[in-house]
Amino acid sequence: MKLVTQVRYGIRILLDLAMHQSRGVIQMRDIAERQNISLKYLEQLIRPFKKAGFVNSKRGRNGGHSLARSPETITLAQIIMVFEKDQAKQDISRLSEGYSQYQDALITEAWNEAKDAFYQRLEKVTLANLSIGTTKKLWQDSDILIL
Amino acid sequence: MKLVTQVRYGIRILLDLAMHQSRGVIQMRDIAERQNISLKYLEQLIRPFKKAGFVNSKRGRNGGHSLARSPETITLAQIIMVFEKDQAKQDISRLSEGYSQYQDALITEAWNEAKDAFYQRLEKVTLANLSIGTTKKLWQDSDILIL
DNA sequence: GTAATATATATTATTTTAATCTATATCAAA
DNA sequence: TTTGATATAGATTAAAATAATATATATTAC
C-alpha cells in the first residue's frame, strides 16, 4: 500500500496549476522545471487529468494548461482514482476445496468496504487545503496553524 | 488497489489449515492439490506466515504444517500485512516550488489515517468467520443464513 | 510559414509479482 | 543406520506493472 510516483507527481502538477491560476495557461515545460519532473513523463501524466476533466489545455503558440475545476473541489481521493487501473476484469477467484462463492463474497464485500473507508478519509483533503500553507507560510512563522 | 495473488492464496492456505486442524499436521503437497497452487510457490508463500507466527511446521517424515493460533484471532487485515513490503525507506518526497514539508506532512497524515481505516474494516473478518459457511454448507441448502 | 506549443504512439528500463528449479537439512520409521 | 518423506533456503526465470525517454505529428498565434 504505497503512494506511487504517478500520484505524488499528479498532486504536484495540479497544485502547481492551482497556485499559478492567475497567470492563465501554464506551459508544461515550466511545471516540469519547477517540479523537477521530466517533461516527457509529465506529458504522459497530465493526459489522464485532461480525460477526467480536471485540466483544460490549449494547443499551439501561447498554449498551455489550466485547472478546469476549482481547487476546493479536487480531493486526494479523486487524484488517486484518476490513476487507478480498470479492474473490471478483476480476476474471478477459482473456487476449490473449502473455498466457495460464499467465502469469496465475504472477502470481496469486506475488501470493497475497506476501500471505501480508505477513500472517504482522502476525500477530506482538497487542493485548496494543500495550497494555503505554502502561499501564506503561516506554518513556519507561527505556533498557531490556521487552516 | 488490488487483492493480489499472494493474499488470495494466503487466505486459502490458512483456511485450509484451519479446516483440517483435527488431522494434526497437514502436508503442503495436500494443500497444493486441494487449492490448485503450485507446490513450489506455496512453499514460498507459507514462509512469511511461519515468520509471523501464524503457522507451525514440523520437519521430516510425518511432518507438515499446522495453525499456530486459533482461527478466531486471525483476520484479513493481519493476513494482508504479512505480505506488506517494508516501507521504512518510503522515499522522502523531494520538495520543490510550491511543495513544502507542510504539504508533504498533510498528505502523509491523511494517507496513514486512510490506511488505518482500511485495515480497521478488514480486522472484522476472521478465519473463523470464513470457515463457518463451508463446513456447514447452510448457505446453499437454505434461505436462512446462519452466521 | 514558422516557432511554440500540445498530442500520440512507440520504445526502453526498472521494479514488483508470480512461478519454477535445485540443492540441503531434518526427522521418523524400517 | 539407512532410507524416504518432508520442510527450508536460495537462485533463477517469466510476466506484469511502473517509470521514464524518444520520435514524429497536429494546432495555433504571430
Side-chain angles (χ1 to χ4, degrees), chain A residues 112-136:
Chain A
N112 287 333
E113 290 185 13
K115 272 205 300 196
D116 288 349
F118 179 80
Y119 286 121
Q120 249 172 51
R121 173 63 183 86
L122 296 177
E123 276 296 338
K124 292 185 192 161
V125 183
T126 70
L127 276 192
N129 295 152
L130 289 174
S131 305
I132 291 170
T134 315
T135 50
K136 303 230 167 146

Side-chain angles (χ1 to χ4, degrees), chain A residues 9-59:
Chain A
Y9 284 0
I11 294 170
R12 289 180 185 213
I13 293 169
L14 296 185
L15 257 181
D16 192 288
L17 289 175
M19 293 171 50
H20 298 98
Q21 269 181 316
S22 52
R23 299 193 196 168
V25 297
I26 309 294
Q27 282 75 49
M28 292 214 284
R29 214 185 30 177
D30 292 345
I31 304 179
E33 272 172 25
R34 279 196 291 263
Q35 304 302 329
N36 275 305
I37 304 175
S38 129
L39 176 60
K40 289 303 177 181
Y41 193 34
L42 177 58
E43 287 169 352
Q44 207 175 118
L45 293 182
I46 213 167
R47 225 175 301 171
F49 284 126
K50 286 203 51 185
K51 213 168 160 185
F54 289 72
V55 167
N56 288 327
S57 62
K58 201 179 148 201
R59 282 186 168 206

Side-chain angles (χ1 to χ4, degrees), chain B residues 48-104:
Chain B
F49 284 125
K50 286 203 50 187
K51 213 168 161 185
F54 290 73
V55 167
N56 287 328
S57 61
K58 201 178 148 199
R59 283 185 166 208
R61 192 160 185 171
N62 298 340
H65 290 86
S66 58
L67 269 196
R69 294 166 38 187
S70 94
E72 290 82 22
T73 68
I74 300 179
T75 67
L76 279 191
Q78 290 168 13
I79 296 175
I80 290 172
M81 287 190 276
V82 162
F83 293 105
E84 287 260 285
K85 295 293 174 294
D86 251 349
Q87 268 156 11
K89 54 176 179 181
Q90 181 86 306
D91 112 59
I92 288 90
S93 305
R94 279 206 229 126
L95 306 181
S96 63
E97 250 185 81
Y99 190 75
S100 64
Q101 287 181 312
Y102 168 71
Q103 262 98 5
D104 206 57

Side-chain angles (χ1 to χ4, degrees), chain B residues 29-143:
Chain B
R29 214 184 33 179
D30 292 346
I31 304 179
E33 273 174 24
R34 279 195 292 262
Q35 304 301 329
N36 275 305
I37 304 174
S38 129
L39 177 59
K40 290 302 177 180
Y41 193 33
L42 177 57
E43 287 170 353
Q44 206 176 121
L45 293 181
I46 213 166
R47 229 175 298 172
F49 284 125
K50 286 203 50 187
K51 213 168 161 185
F54 290 73
V55 167
N56 287 328
S57 61
K58 201 178 148 199
R59 283 185 166 208
R61 192 160 185 171
N62 298 340
H65 290 86
S66 58
L67 269 196
R69 294 166 38 187
S70 94
E72 290 82 22
T73 68
I74 300 179
T75 67
L76 279 191
Q78 290 168 13
I79 296 175
I80 290 172
M81 287 190 276
V82 162
F83 293 105
E84 287 260 285
K85 295 293 174 294
D86 251 349
Q87 268 156 11
K89 54 176 179 181
Q90 181 86 306
D91 112 59
I92 288 90
S93 305
R94 279 206 229 126
L95 306 181
S96 63
E97 250 185 81
Y99 190 75
S100 64
Q101 287 181 312
Y102 168 71
Q103 262 98 5
D104 206 57
L106 262 188
I107 294 171
T108 303
E109 189 193 11
W111 181 266
N112 287 332
E113 289 184 13
K115 273 205 300 195
D116 288 349
F118 179 80
Y119 285 121
Q120 247 172 51
R121 173 62 183 86
L122 294 178
E123 276 297 337
K124 292 185 191 160
V125 183
T126 68
L127 277 192
N129 296 151
L130 290 173
S131 305
I132 291 169
T134 316
T135 50
K136 303 232 165 143
K137 289 272 172 63
L138 286 172
W139 59 279
Q140 52 176 214
D141 300 337
S142 151
D143 287 328

